[in-house]
Every structure is written in structure tokens, then in C-alpha cells.
Amino acid sequence: MHATAAAALNATPIGTREAWGWRGRTLSRPVTTASGERWLRLVSAPADKAGGKLWEGPQEAERLMPPAVPRPRLRERRTWTEGEHGYLAELYDKITASTITTHEPILREPPDLDDAWWDGLSTALDAIATVPSDRVAVRQEYLDRAMPQYLGFPIDTRVPAWTTAHGDLHWANLTSPRPTLLDWEGWGRAPAGYDAALLHAYSLLIPETAAQVRRHLGHILSTPTGRFAELVVITELLQTTTRGDNLDLEGPLRARLARLSE
């Protein structure tokens, strides 16, 4: 199907590099076109689920995100159904910078990021937060149900402030030496500070980097809304541990939860 997508978009795969997404849901490869090198990403889903928020996210980001948000530009897309599966092919500008982690969102080694990188990320997050959208990244109904359950104590789950968020800001979706934000499927409205809180949570195995997140994004995190966003993210990630994911984050997440609860 990736070869089919390449033919439909007049692209030719180059090299042997393959980038597989979460649980094999996507396959991406570098390609060459008449306009130069591009990145071809193919998404697959059961035919009855091929569409909706995740399907349309990158296209909506291309339409609505301001230039202050560094991201690969989406140039063309195709959708089709074959048998029991639906497919979405997206042709992006090829990003030459490397992602900070390769295969997972959790940070396991300290990255070498200078102040300019952090300033660029901060500017991008501030710009994303101002984009009007009716897309939803985090639902109030989920918080009402999940926060008391996974935090383990009664909590007022009413979100103090909503803003627009990338929605999946982790180390495999960020590049260096210049920050580029990848993977725009799930962006939308979320508790203010959600992106910064998520990046912080995925940094907890590397305390010095977690401290950098708090320092450089302190204008977001060091507020009552930022604290609430951290509790939202801790809720979500603790829930993932019950499914066998992010198990080595559970201890640091609970330690951070205890700190936030003091």
C-alpha cells in the first residue's frame, strides 16, 4: 500500500529507511518527487474507522497553524479504501533534523538542547495556544471519570482554562538542533499547559532535563493551571500503565504526584 501511495502521488521511495508508527498503524519513508525530496506517510485503519479527528488533524493543522509553529508542511494527500482497510497518504516536506528520541516518547538520555531550542519551543507552544479550534484533544467527561480513579483522591475536575494544544508533545515528535513539531493527528482543545506538562512527564527518567522543562516552560507550568495540567497528564499516563505501557514511568509519576499534592 505504501508503494501504491507513492505511485498515486508521483513519488519514488529512496533508500531503505522505514519509520513505523505506534503498533504498526503508520509507515513512513523518504521519497523523491519532481519538486525534490519529500516524506511519505501512510496511515491505515479498519475501513469503518477510516476518518474523523485523527484522519483530518494534519490537514487542519496545515490550514490553521501560524508560521511561528515549526512543522513539516503538508503538500498533498490521498485517501482510499481497499478491502477491509482505509488508507490515508500524506506527502510532507522532508525534515533533515533528527528526532530527539527514535522509537518511543520517553526520554532515556539527556539531550543537548541550547537556550535557543527552548525559546523556539516556548514560542511555538504559545502560538499553538492561540489558534481557535473546535477540535478536542482532552475531554472533560474523561477527566470527570478518570482523575479521581487514577490520582487516588477527590479532586475538582473542572478545567480552569482551555487552550489549543499539539496534544502529543513528546521527545519522538520533536527534532534538534532546531525544534520542529511532528505528528499533528491529535491536536485540539486541552487544559492550559497540557503540552508542557506532557513533555515534562516524559522527561521524568532524566531529572536534569525535567528540571530544564520546568525552568524554560515555567511561565506555563508554574501556575495553578499548569499544576492542573500536570495532574491531567499524570492521570492519563498512570492509566496507560494499567495496559502495560510506560511501566518505568509509574514510580516517577507517583513521586511527582506526591510533590504536586503537598
Side-chain angles (χ1 to χ4, degrees):
M1 285 298 103
H2 199 281
T4 298
L9 292 168
N10 298 311
T12 303
I14 53 177
T16 59
R17 180 183 176 192
E18 294 183 346
W20 289 91
W22 179 248
R23 294 181 176 171
R25 182 176 162 271
T26 67
L27 172 60
S28 302
R29 296 183 65 189
V31 296
T32 185
T33 71
S35 300
E37 289 192 10
R38 295 282 190 260
W39 185 254
L40 178 55
R41 179 177 185 264
L42 181 68
V43 185
S44 68
D48 61 346
K49 297 181 179 178
K53 172 191 160 185
L54 295 180
W55 219 253
E56 302 300 329
Q59 181 176 242
E60 287 297 286
E62 178 62 31
R63 185 173 69 88
L64 295 171
M65 286 293 151
V69 181
R71 67 196 190 282
R73 302 304 300 270
L74 176 61
R75 299 301 179 179
E76 293 186 68
R77 73 193 297 267
R78 297 282 192 280
T79 62
W80 74 97
T81 300
E82 183 165 323
E84 298 180 353
H85 293 87
Y87 297 92
L88 165 64
E90 299 170 320
L91 193 63
Y92 290 94
D93 287 348
K94 187 172 182 289
I95 300 300
T96 58
S98 298
T99 55
I100 294 171
T101 61
T102 304
H103 301 297
E104 65 171 345
I106 300 173
L107 191 68
R108 298 186 184 278
E109 296 180 357
D112 183 14
L113 305 173
D114 58 20
D115 288 346
W117 189 93
W118 288 105
D119 290 344
L121 178 62
S122 179
T123 298
L125 296 185
D126 290 346
I128 293 169
T130 67
V131 175
S133 177
D134 59 1
R135 291 174 54 84
V136 178
V138 178
R139 296 188 178 278
Q140 180 69 63
E141 295 82 359
Y142 167 79
L143 302 181
D144 294 341
R145 179 182 71 255
M147 291 185 78
Q149 178 181 355
Y150 291 100
L151 297 181
F153 53 80
I155 183 173
D156 183 352
T157 60
R158 291 174 296 179
V159 176
W162 294 89
T163 60
T164 300
H166 174 276
D168 197 19
L169 193 74
H170 57 65
W171 296 102
N173 281 338
L174 288 167
T175 67
S176 70
R178 295 176 302 278
T180 304
L181 282 68
L182 309 178
D183 191 358
W184 288 86
E185 286 185 327
W187 73 277
R189 304 292 285 175
Y194 181 84
D195 284 336
L198 189 61
L199 190 65
H200 180 262
Y202 279 124
S203 308
L204 289 175
L205 297 185
I206 309 296
E208 59 265 43
T209 304
Q212 281 187 308
V213 176
R214 293 194 301 272
R215 182 169 71 253
H216 288 280
L217 303 180
H219 68 290
I220 300 173
L221 290 176
S222 298
T223 65
T225 55
R227 175 185 177 275
F228 185 86
E230 282 202 67
L231 293 175
V232 169
V233 165
I234 289 170
T235 297
E236 292 179 327
L237 292 182
L238 286 178
Q239 183 178 20
T240 70
T241 66
T242 67
R243 302 192 295 262
D245 298 321
N246 301 310
L247 293 178
D248 47 358
L249 275 183
E250 182 174 3
L253 286 169
R254 294 196 181 279
R256 183 64 182 167
L257 176 58
R259 181 72 178 270
L260 291 170
S261 304
E262 290 177 350

